[in-house]
């Protein structure tokens, strides 16, 4: 009888979910500490153990798997606080990072400056060598010159070195040899070879992705090493897995080598959990929103799968690896409320984090935040915040809001707080439109899944603005990313560039490449002790019309290329091109660019336990009442304790449903059903929730 543990670290809290031997799912939250993140995780696990009546060593000794999502790589990139990095590249190509694609990301914004490269030009060194586009060596590697160039890098001066040569994905020998020279000269440095990180055509994307890997991997490697050592010192002998940006999990060793694969390690888990939870109701189209202490993360789930992109941009840096397609804005409970240079109320993107945190935390914060606004509006009960573990200071929140917002704008404190609530809601509505309306999806055909400790406070207002008919508020909303880690499978990918016209594809050569990639991944799964019956392989092909700039990923039906399979690929590409770009051109030649094999190792997952059987749907009983400010007036609303609500009971809005780690607002005109899983289903009064689920289970789909 063993435990499984999911851990997620954010800017404010460490979230822990235990899947217990008796089938329960329990949650624990503790404050994060950016100065000692590994220690904060250990303290969070200690608190979870205490909740189970166990010592930490007892819990860890009985744990067979711990899945961790973290923002170490994310924050390093966002704050540019990663490792000191050098880049070795082919002579004559030192300026690829600066030149990018030769165009702005936002062509119509002439004032928007591109972010400076992660590697300063003084540490970008050209090496004499050249491999041609057909893989032939036209200029052998000048080892003496390479050694002399590497000698300019003093030991200890750089923590990461990226190596990216022209067409190295066709012949990696030059990169591998330079890697050996670097290991001899700089034994403590992390060396990233583009032929290992991203063996794809596309020089800028390959250089950028490899540079990001060199920038974040040393920090992530140090953190993982410290955390794993700490866990083992406390008796953990199970399997440690790290959440990846692609929605799967991998070993810690893979995470240390390829930190770029975990730049969305934390946020990527929430859409996995949202897809799984929506599937309980037969719903395959969902929009996952996760509002934590620092950010608001949105992802569209289409036909049961979170959308994935290989053209990601994080903090202005291109990452051409598959990542869950998450749109993130700075809108969380800790987002700072202020008045901008135009004299307008603004919220975020800066956050107060855990230290000093919102003003009401009493930890030295003087800036008002979204949490302070929610407290002043009456949405949060000060005596029950975080189950009473953290005494909040209403007066401190009031002073901060008065000094920084209300007085400059000539408003009273409560009206200023409601303005902050409205502004952050509009920011989040726009983020949801970004992944839905602006990509051709009608959000009214999706269920909105609310996650994060702050999410349920705002979700009703978002649904009302977007006319979304059904909202799912999970029982574990406040620790959703930690739950998502436990619901994720092992996922590894191997890829190769294969640039040929699809109509005249060299089928034997393409199949030989596929076989090589498959063999490599099967070895990886075997090394991870994945049983053959739990292993799955899928082949993805990047295709585009000849001369195009961007590719579209298409699944290869079957295991090999053949004339029949190629014809199906072409038909599916035309269909998907019309979905993505609004048109198709069957007369135009199709180019194959990359082949990718994705290996999945199925993991044992916790089941969503049902609550004790309930009777017919009845109204819940309010435990007390509270005054709140809503839509320009003060109203008195009933307050319900969600833990005390029986399954199949309803709450009629306006109302507040309080939990230990979050609070749910049911707006006027909405009802909330507490279902048999303990999840909340919120919908407009007068709707039949079960008929609504049936309708959304067969949506009209993409417009």
């Amino acid at each position: 009888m063993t435990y499984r543990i999911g851990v997620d670290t954010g800017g404010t809290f460490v979230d822990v979910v235990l899947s217990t031997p008796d089938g329960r799912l329990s949650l624990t939250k503790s404050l994060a500490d950016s100065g000692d993140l590994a220690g904060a995780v250990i303290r969070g696990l200690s608190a979870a153990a205490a909740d189970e009546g166990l010592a930490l060593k007892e819990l860890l000794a009985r744990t067979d798997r711990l899945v961790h999502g973290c923002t170490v790589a994310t924050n390093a990139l966002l704050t540019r606080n990663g490792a000191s990095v050098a880049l070795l590249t082919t002579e004559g190509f030192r300026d690829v990072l600066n030149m990018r694609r030769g165009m702005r990301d936002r062509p119509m914004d002439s004032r928007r400056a591109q972010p400076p490269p992660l590697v300063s030009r003084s540490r970008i060194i050209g090496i004499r060598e050249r491999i041609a586009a057909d893989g032939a060596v036209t200029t052998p590697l000048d080892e003496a010159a390479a050694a002399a160039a590497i000698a300019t890098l003093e030991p200890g001066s750089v923590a990461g070195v990226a190596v990216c040569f022209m067409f190295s994905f066709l012949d990696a020998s030059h990169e591998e040899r330079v890697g050996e020279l670097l290991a001899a000269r700089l034994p403590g440095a992390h060396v990233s070879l583009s032929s290992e990180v991203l063996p794809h055509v596309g020089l800028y994307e390959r250089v950028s992705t490899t540079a990001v890997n060199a920038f974040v991997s040393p920090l992530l490697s140090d953190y993982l090493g410290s955390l794993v050592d700490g866990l083992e010192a406390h008796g953990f002998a199970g399997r440690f897995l790290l959440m990846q940006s692609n929605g799967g999990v991998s070993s810690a060793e893979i995470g240390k080598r390829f930190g770029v694969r975990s730049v969305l390690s934390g946020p990527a888990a929430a859409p996995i959990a949202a897809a799984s939870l929506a599937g309980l109701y037969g719903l395959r189209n969902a929009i996952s929103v996760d509002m934590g202490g620092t950010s608001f993360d949105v992802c569209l789930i289409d036909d049961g799968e979170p959308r994935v992109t290989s053209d990601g941009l994080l903090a202005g840096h291109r990452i051409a690896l598959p990542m869950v397609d998450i749109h993130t804005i700075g809108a969380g409970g800790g987002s700072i409320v202020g008045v901008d240079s135009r004299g307008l109320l603004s919220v975020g993107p800066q956050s107060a984090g855990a230290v000093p945190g919102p003003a009401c935390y009493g930890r030295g914060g003087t800036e008002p935040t979204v949490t302070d606004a929610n407290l002043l509006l009456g949405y949060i009960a000060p005596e029950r915040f975080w189950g009473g573990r953290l005494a909040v200071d209403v007066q401190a929140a009031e002073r901060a809001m008065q000094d920084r917002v209300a007085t400059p704008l000539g408003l009273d404190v409560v009206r200023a707080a409601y303005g902050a609530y409205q502004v952050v809601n509009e920011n989040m509505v726009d983020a949801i439109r970004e992944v839905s309306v602006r990509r051709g999806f009608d959000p009214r055909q999706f269920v909105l899944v609310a996650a994060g400790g702050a999410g349920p406070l705002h979700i009703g207002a978002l649904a009302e603005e977007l006319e979304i008919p059904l909202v799912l508020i999970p029982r574990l909303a406040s620790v959703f990313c930690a739950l998502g880690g436990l619901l994720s499978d092992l996922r590894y990918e191997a890829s190769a560039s294969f640039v040929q016209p699809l109509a005249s594809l060299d089928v034997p050569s393409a199949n030989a490449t596929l076989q090589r990639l498959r063999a490599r991944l099967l070895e990886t799964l075997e090394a991870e002790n994945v049983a053959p019956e739990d292993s799955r392989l899928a082949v993805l092909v990047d295709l585009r019309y000849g001369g195009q700039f961007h590719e579209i990923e298409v699944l290869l039906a079957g295991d090999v290329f053949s004339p029949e399979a190629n014809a199906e690929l072409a038909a599916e590409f035309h269909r998907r091109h019309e979905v993505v770009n609004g048109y198709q051109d069957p007369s135009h030649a199709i180019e194959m660019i990359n082949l990718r094999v994705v290996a999945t190792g199925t993991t044992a997952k916790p089941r969503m336990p049902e609550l004790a059987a309930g009777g017919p749907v009845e109204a819940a009983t309010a435990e007390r009442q509270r005054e709140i400010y809503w839509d320009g007036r003060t109203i008195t609303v009933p307050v319900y304790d969600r833990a005390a609500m029986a399954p199949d009971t309803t709450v009629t809005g306006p109302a507040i449903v309080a939990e230990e780690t979050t609070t749910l607002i049911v707006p006027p005109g909405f009802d909330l059903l507490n279902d048999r899983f303990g999840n909340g289903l919120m919908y407009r009064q007068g709707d039949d929730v079960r008929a609504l689920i049936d309708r959304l289970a067969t949506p009209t789909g993409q417009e």
Side-chain angles (χ1 to χ4, degrees), residues 527-550:
E528 294 287 349
N529 298 314
V530 179
E533 61 270 20
D534 294 328
S535 303
R536 299 194 309 274
L537 297 178
V539 179
L540 300 171
V541 186
D542 291 335
L543 301 173
R544 68 186 184 191
Y545 289 127
Q548 279 189 320
F549 195 67
H550 296 289

Side-chain angles (χ1 to χ4, degrees), residues 452-598:
L457 283 160
H458 298 260
I459 198 66
L462 306 186
E464 188 168 26
E465 175 72 17
L466 291 162
E467 300 180 15
I468 294 176
L470 181 65
V471 180
L472 172 58
I473 304 98
R475 180 159 50 93
L476 297 175
S478 65
V479 291
F480 211 48
C481 287
L483 174 64
L486 290 177
L487 295 170
S488 299
D489 290 322
L490 286 162
R491 184 182 174 102
Y492 297 101
E493 300 189 10
S495 60
S497 279
F498 202 90
V499 183
Q500 287 190 12
L502 184 61
S504 56
L505 181 68
D506 182 346
V507 171
S509 180
N511 285 331
T513 301
L514 281 186
Q515 183 58 34
R516 186 170 65 254
L517 297 177
R518 280 197 187 94
R520 186 192 313 168
L521 287 174
L522 288 173
E523 288 179 5
T524 301
L525 291 177
E526 185 178 357
E528 294 287 349
N529 298 314
V530 179
E533 61 270 20
D534 294 328
S535 303
R536 299 194 309 274
L537 297 178
V539 179
L540 300 171
V541 186
D542 291 335
L543 301 173
R544 68 186 184 191
Y545 289 127
Q548 279 189 320
F549 195 67
H550 296 289
E551 299 84 41
I552 291 177
E553 178 184 278
V554 181
L555 178 68
L556 175 68
D559 297 329
V560 295
F561 291 100
S562 66
E564 296 76 18
N566 296 353
E568 289 185 33
L569 268 179
E572 179 63 13
F573 169 75
H574 291 309
R575 186 193 72 80
R576 293 206 60 196
H577 194 281
E578 183 163 23
V579 168
V580 173
N581 298 308
Y583 74 97
Q584 59 173 289
D585 185 1
S587 66
H588 205 108
I590 300 173
E591 286 183 336
M592 179 185 295
I593 304 300
N594 300 309
L595 303 179
R596 284 204 306 276
V597 179
V598 179

Side-chain angles (χ1 to χ4, degrees), residues 338-353:
V339 178
D340 66 17
S341 59
R342 300 167 296 172
L344 301 177
L345 193 152
S346 64
V347 180
Q350 295 80 18
S351 172

Side-chain angles (χ1 to χ4, degrees), residues 246-510:
N246 61 15
V249 293
S250 71
S251 67
E253 291 308 311
I254 295 292
K256 291 177 182 180
R257 286 184 60 205
F258 301 108
V260 68
R261 298 182 185 178
S262 298
V263 292
L264 292 180
S265 172
I272 302 300
S276 176
L277 207 60
L280 287 175
Y281 304 88
L283 300 172
R284 297 185 60 78
N285 286 355
I287 298 173
S288 167
V289 298
D290 182 4
M291 184 182 184
T294 303
S295 65
F296 179 73
D297 304 318
V298 193
C299 180
L300 189 134
I301 297 160
D302 183 18
D303 196 22
E305 295 290 336
R307 289 175 68 85
V308 174
T309 180
S310 295
D311 192 29
L313 197 66
L314 186 60
H317 304 288
R318 187 69 60 188
I319 301 173
L321 288 169
M323 301 189 298
V324 175
D325 193 1
I326 295 173
H327 181 58
T328 300
I329 63 171
S335 293
I336 294 172
V337 182
V339 178
D340 66 17
S341 59
R342 300 167 296 172
L344 301 177
L345 193 152
S346 64
V347 180
Q350 295 80 18
S351 172
V355 180
C360 65
Y361 279 17
R363 299 163 68 94
T366 58
E367 302 276 4
T369 67
V370 172
T371 294
D372 294 307
N374 285 329
L375 181 66
L376 295 172
L377 293 169
Y379 304 160
I380 298 172
E383 71 279 2
R384 300 188 62 177
F385 188 80
W386 192 13
R389 290 184 179 89
L390 182 63
V392 295
D393 188 340
V394 179
Q395 286 71 34
E398 194 170 285
R399 285 194 301 271
M401 191 66 70
Q402 180 73 61
D403 294 344
R404 302 301 176 98
V405 181
T407 297
L409 293 179
L411 301 172
D412 63 69
V413 168
V414 173
R415 187 64 188 87
Y418 194 67
Y421 184 79
Q422 291 176 301
V423 169
V424 76
N425 286 347
E426 282 303 315
N427 292 345
M428 293 187 286
V429 163
D430 189 67
I432 295 172
R433 289 192 176 117
E434 181 66 35
V435 304
S436 57
V437 176
R438 292 174 193 141
R439 301 183 188 182
F441 293 92
D442 184 350
R444 295 171 297 183
Q445 301 295 335
F446 290 73
V447 60
L448 188 61
V449 183
L457 283 160
H458 298 260
I459 198 66
L462 306 186
E464 188 168 26
E465 175 72 17
L466 291 162
E467 300 180 15
I468 294 176
L470 181 65
V471 180
L472 172 58
I473 304 98
R475 180 159 50 93
L476 297 175
S478 65
V479 291
F480 211 48
C481 287
L483 174 64
L486 290 177
L487 295 170
S488 299
D489 290 322
L490 286 162
R491 184 182 174 102
Y492 297 101
E493 300 189 10
S495 60
S497 279
F498 202 90
V499 183
Q500 287 190 12
L502 184 61
S504 56
L505 181 68
D506 182 346
V507 171
S509 180

